[in-house]
């Protein structure tokens, strides 16, 4: 046997006395109802007529309807024909109608104890209410003299009916009678008083027109019920709407809070990006180096706050100057990070006695190792030119980058990039091209943000236009040459927005 068995036995033993007490209570109520019926028949004997049957039928029909009036409470419509019968026919007929009304409990339960209690409760409460009504209402008075006694009888009916209900409930539960009454019935009196008004209407129609008049009282009763039924549905819809509105307001408030959080996060990210942009800007040369026989100018514009374009001037340490132009695949923050990595590798790799091809190979191996394991493919195109002022020579090594352009009076020479892009695999070689430059020669290193600029029709600016623009401005000072080429690209693009970072670096021999 489980440990819970004693508790189950105790519950069963407790339930038996409660059922016994309820049955005894119901028997007493039914006995009181029987005695009241006899007393009513002796006190005010009346014949059993078809009019009483009509009230019984009305009570049977209305017992299935209950309305809940605003600020009033529940009104059981069966109470209306019982009280109307008391006003119109007297006490004993009203008690007979009440008994029939009590029998209608069989519609909702098959328990004989509950049906018997319902009948007894209706009869007893009607009897007590009827005694007060007969004591207050003059027998020979007009209809208006019955109004106040009707409301008085209603109060007695309410107290008797709810007290008997509270008593049977208290016997079935741990709560006391007063507690049960206060929890369930203390606010129900307005509903009974509203029923009194309806009962006076039905009684007046009966006294005026007889049974047909009573029938005329049925539509108002059902109209009130169905009107309130519509009211309840509308009220429920309003409650539902209010709940949905409140839910919407909560969701809106949550959305506003989320928007504020996102806005704060965006401002934080924007601040971080601004710091990153400043760091990237600080990684670029702060000034143009002075080299004997060489003039340098450069311009860079990022598509966004940051980008993957890169230029630099790095001394080899042996009199030569490294001129660098690079472009990381991609845009924005990721590209700027790769650019920073490549810059660090370049500054470490460049040294006295090293050739541009050797520097490129070292940077490629380091960058490939650093990018190993990345889910997205990243690579860097780079052009490195080593200028030696001692013999005015230029050694160029390229890795997947745009051709270096050398413009002079004889035209524009393209020096193609003969190495692969950096960061893909280790062990690559980067062939070199050596040039000896004369006075006035201009070397252009650039990124494809210039050559791939598009006009409104979608046509590319292209390498040929860049060469013609460079040749056209060759006689101008190097700064003006830079601005002239840049302005030519901008004019070609028209109202179209840039699609990539752009960099142009010019070196002119004097």
């Amino acid at each position: 046997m489980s440990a819970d068995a004693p508790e189950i036995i105790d519950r069963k033993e407790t339930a038996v006395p409660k059922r016994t007490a309820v049955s005894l209570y119901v028997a007493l109520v039914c006995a009181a109802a029987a005695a009241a019926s006899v007393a009513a028949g002796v006190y005010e004997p009346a014949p059993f007529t078809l009019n009483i049957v009509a009230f019984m039928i009305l009570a049977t029909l209305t017992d299935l309807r209950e309305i809940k009036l605003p600020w009033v409470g529940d009104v059981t419509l069966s109470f209306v024909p019982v009280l109307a019968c008391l006003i119109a026919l007297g006490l004993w007929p009203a008690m007979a109608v009440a008994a029939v009304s009590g029998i209608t409990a069989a519609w909702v339960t098959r328990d004989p104890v509950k049906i018997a209690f319902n009948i007894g409760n209706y009869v007893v409460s009607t009897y007590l209410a009827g005694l007060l009504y007969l004591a207050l209402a003059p027998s020979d008075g007009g209809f208006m003299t019955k109004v106040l006694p009707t409301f008085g009888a209603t109060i007695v009916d309410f107290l008797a009916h709810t007290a008997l209900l509270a008593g049977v409930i208290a016997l079935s539960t741990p709560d006391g009678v007063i507690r049960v009454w206060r929890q369930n019935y203390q606010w129900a009196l307005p509903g009974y008083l509203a029923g009194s008004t309806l009962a006076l209407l039905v009684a007046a129609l009966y006294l005026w027109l007889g049974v047909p008049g009573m029938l005329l009282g049925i539509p108002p009763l059902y109209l009130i019920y169905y009107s309130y039924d519509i009211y309840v549905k509308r009220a429920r819809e309003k409650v539902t709407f209010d709940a949905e509105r409140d839910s919407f307001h909560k969701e809106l408030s949550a959305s506003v809070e989320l928007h504020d959080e996102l806005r704060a996060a965006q401002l934080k990210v924007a601040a971080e990006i601004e710091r990153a942009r400043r760091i990237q800007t600080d990684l670029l040369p702060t000034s143009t180096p002075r080299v004997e026989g060489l003039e340098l100018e450069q311009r860079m514009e990022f598509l966004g706050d940051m980008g993957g374009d890169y230029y630099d001037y790095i001394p080899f340490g042996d009199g030569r100057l490294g001129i660098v132009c690079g472009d990381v695949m991609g845009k924005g923050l990721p590209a700027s990070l790769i650019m920073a990595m490549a810059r660090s590798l370049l500054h470490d790799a460049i040294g006295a006695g090293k050739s541009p091809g050797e520097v490129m190979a070292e940077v490629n191996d380091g960058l490939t190792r650093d990018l190993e394991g990345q889910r997205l493919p990243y690579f860097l195109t780079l052009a490195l030119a080593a200028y030696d002022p001692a013999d005015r020579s230029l050694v160029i090594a390229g890795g997947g980058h745009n051709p270096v352009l050398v413009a002079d009076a004889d035209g524009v020479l393209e020096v193609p990039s003969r190495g692969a892009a950096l960061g893909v695999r280790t062990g690559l070689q980067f062939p070199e091209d050596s040039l000896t430059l004369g006075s006035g020669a201009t070397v252009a290193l650039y990124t494809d943000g210039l050559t791939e600029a598009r006009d409104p029709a979608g046509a590319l600016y292209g390498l040929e236009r860049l060469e013609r623009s460079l040749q056209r401005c060759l006689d101008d000072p190097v700064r003006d040459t830079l601005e002239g080429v840049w302005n030519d690209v901008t004019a070609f693009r028209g109202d179209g927005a840039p699609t990539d970072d752009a960099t142009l670096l010019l070196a002119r021999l004097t």
Side-chain angles (χ1 to χ4, degrees):
M1 181 176 293
S2 67
D4 295 334
E7 182 181 352
I8 295 174
I9 294 174
D10 291 343
R11 289 178 180 176
K12 290 182 178 179
E13 292 176 351
T14 303
V16 173
K18 284 187 176 182
R19 285 199 299 269
T20 303
V22 169
S23 299
L24 180 59
Y25 181 85
V26 172
L28 291 175
V29 172
C30 290
S37 299
V38 173
V42 173
Y43 178 77
E44 190 183 35
F48 190 83
T49 64
L50 292 178
N51 292 345
I52 298 177
V53 174
F55 275 101
M56 289 180 175
I57 294 173
L58 181 60
T60 302
L61 293 174
T62 57
D63 194 76
L64 302 179
R65 294 291 182 264
E66 181 180 85
I67 62 176
K68 299 177 183 291
L69 297 177
W71 304 293
V72 170
D74 296 345
V75 177
T76 303
L77 296 182
S78 63
F79 168 69
V80 173
V82 172
L83 189 57
C85 186
L86 175 64
I87 299 169
L89 300 179
L91 179 57
W92 185 86
M95 293 174 65
V97 174
V100 172
S101 181
I103 294 174
T104 57
W107 288 103
V108 294
T109 179
R110 293 294 183 268
D111 188 342
V113 175
K114 293 181 179 179
I115 297 173
F117 173 77
N118 206 46
I119 297 171
N121 188 2
Y122 278 27
V123 171
V124 170
S125 58
T126 301
Y127 176 72
L128 296 176
L131 290 180
L132 180 64
Y133 174 80
L134 294 175
L136 297 177
S139 58
D140 56 351
F143 183 80
M144 295 305 297
T145 63
K146 303 179 186 295
V147 174
L148 291 180
T150 298
F151 283 102
T154 300
I155 294 174
V156 173
D157 184 281
F158 160 72
L159 293 174
H161 184 70
T162 57
L164 291 174
L165 282 171
V168 74
I169 294 173
L171 291 174
S172 306
T173 64
D175 295 330
V177 176
I178 296 177
R179 180 179 176 83
V180 171
W181 189 87
R182 292 184 63 184
Q183 287 180 340
N184 297 278
Y185 307 116
Q186 67 172 336
W187 304 113
L189 180 58
Y192 277 77
L193 295 177
S196 299
T197 303
L198 299 176
L200 286 167
L201 172 64
V202 173
L205 290 172
Y206 171 78
L207 293 173
W208 181 31
L209 300 173
V211 172
M214 184 179 63
L215 295 177
L216 291 176
I218 295 178
L221 295 179
Y222 277 82
L223 178 62
I224 291 173
Y225 170 77
Y226 285 112
S227 297
Y228 184 74
D229 189 51
I230 294 173
Y231 167 82
V232 169
K233 290 179 180 178
R234 295 294 184 270
R236 289 173 180 170
E237 291 174 357
K238 183 178 183 301
V239 169
T240 302
F241 171 78
D242 291 343
E244 292 178 351
R245 181 195 61 198
D246 293 342
S247 176
F248 172 75
H249 286 166
K250 290 180 181 178
E251 292 178 0
L252 183 60
S253 298
S255 177
V256 171
E257 291 178 2
L258 180 60
H259 176 270
D260 292 341
E261 292 176 1
L262 291 176
R263 178 60 178 167
Q266 288 174 343
L267 292 175
K268 183 177 180 180
V269 171
E272 295 295 332
I273 291 177
E274 174 61 20
R275 282 192 285 269
R277 186 192 66 79
R278 291 180 180 178
I279 292 173
Q280 182 180 21
T281 302
D282 291 341
L283 293 177
L284 296 174
T286 57
S287 62
T288 301
R290 293 183 178 182
V291 180
E292 183 181 353
L294 190 66
E295 293 181 349
L296 297 169
E297 290 292 340
Q298 69 284 323
R299 182 169 178 176
M300 170 185 284
E301 289 185 2
F302 289 137
L303 183 63
D305 293 324
M306 293 176 291
D309 276 15
Y310 168 56
Y311 76 90
D312 210 343
Y313 304 108
I314 310 173
F316 275 81
D318 54 9
R320 292 177 298 161
L321 176 67
I323 304 172
V324 182
C325 185
D327 186 4
V328 178
M329 185 201 73
K331 304 174 183 65
L333 182 59
S336 69
L337 294 175
I338 304 299
M339 184 275 281
M341 293 167 58
R343 176 190 180 279
S344 177
L345 292 170
L346 265 170
H347 278 256
D348 289 341
I350 287 181
K354 289 186 177 180
S355 67
E358 293 173 341
V359 171
M360 295 278 285
E362 187 174 333
V363 171
N364 171 68
D365 291 346
L367 189 61
T368 302
R369 287 191 297 268
D370 289 343
L371 296 179
E372 186 177 3
Q374 296 293 320
R375 294 183 180 180
L376 296 177
Y378 290 104
F379 58 84
L380 167 71
T381 67
L382 190 68
L384 172 60
Y387 174 72
D388 188 347
D391 56 5
R392 301 169 69 87
S393 64
L394 190 70
V395 179
I396 302 171
H401 201 69
N402 304 301
V404 175
L405 303 181
V406 180
D408 56 20
D410 296 329
V412 179
L413 173 66
E414 297 180 11
V415 182
S417 176
R418 296 193 286 147
L422 287 70
V424 178
R425 60 186 179 89
T426 59
L428 298 178
Q429 299 297 318
F430 296 88
E432 300 173 349
D433 291 283
S434 298
L435 303 174
T436 300
L437 305 176
S439 297
T442 301
V443 180
L445 287 76
Y446 55 93
T447 60
D448 54 15
L450 294 179
T451 55
E452 293 182 1
R454 293 181 180 273
D455 67 6
L460 290 175
Y461 183 77
L463 184 58
E464 292 183 3
R465 285 191 178 88
L466 180 60
E467 292 177 357
R468 289 199 298 268
S469 179
L470 185 63
Q471 186 73 27
R472 188 167 53 248
C473 301
L474 196 58
D475 294 334
D476 298 332
V478 66
R479 178 182 293 274
D480 294 341
T481 301
L482 178 73
E483 292 300 320
V485 173
W486 198 276
N487 292 337
D488 188 56
V489 174
T490 302
F492 175 82
R493 192 169 54 233
D495 295 333
T499 57
D500 199 356
D501 306 326
T503 301
L504 176 60
L505 188 153
L506 299 182
R508 176 176 294 172
L509 274 72
T510 58

